Amino acid sequence: MHGNPMPDSYVYVTEEGVTRHYADGSVEALAWEDVVEVRVVTASGEDVLYILLDRDGENCVVPRSATDATFLARLRYLPDFDLERLTLAADSGHDGVVVVWRSPDPPSALPDLEYD
């Protein structure tokens, strides 16, 4: 068979929200209006991950390799979102998790998540 191998996931960004479809058929989706926190996860030799969380701790994991200008432009609609802070966290070279944005009206607590 010729062509590119099938990617392990697809990310769709719309005015309503962001959705990630995995090769195994599972789906993660969040409406933009429900996003209360954005995290950046970096690990040596791995793709940078953007984690969007809602009030209930549900999340949508978006690999940087699956993003485009549409995703970054849509993040700017979050109140007081700082695109430069996101870029600095993603390009830091340090392994870890950084909260780059939190809703002005955040929930009392969000879960600590483990990332593969």
Side-chain angles (χ1 to χ4, degrees), residues 11-110:
V11 175
Y12 297 100
V13 177
T14 66
E15 287 298 313
E16 290 77 37
V18 61
T19 305
R20 182 175 180 189
H21 295 267
Y22 291 86
D24 67 4
S26 60
V27 176
E28 295 172 350
L30 285 181
W32 289 115
E33 66 187 25
D34 295 335
V35 174
V36 297
E37 189 170 284
V38 177
R39 299 176 184 179
V40 173
V41 180
T42 52
S44 298
E46 300 291 327
D47 197 358
V48 172
L49 302 175
Y50 302 126
I51 313 297
L52 309 176
L53 290 104
D54 72 7
R55 291 187 176 286
D56 298 324
E58 295 295 318
N59 66 69
C60 186
V61 179
V62 179
R64 178 164 65 177
S65 61
T67 64
D68 60 14
T70 305
F71 177 76
L72 297 175
R74 187 55 191 87
L75 285 174
R76 297 169 110 176
Y77 286 101
L78 297 172
D80 298 321
F81 189 84
D82 185 346
L83 196 55
E84 184 175 336
R85 181 174 166 87
L86 177 88
T87 302
L88 288 172
D91 295 341
S92 72
H94 299 288
D95 292 354
V97 179
V98 176
V99 175
V100 295
W101 179 83
R102 189 169 282 142
S103 168
D105 182 29
S108 56
L110 287 170

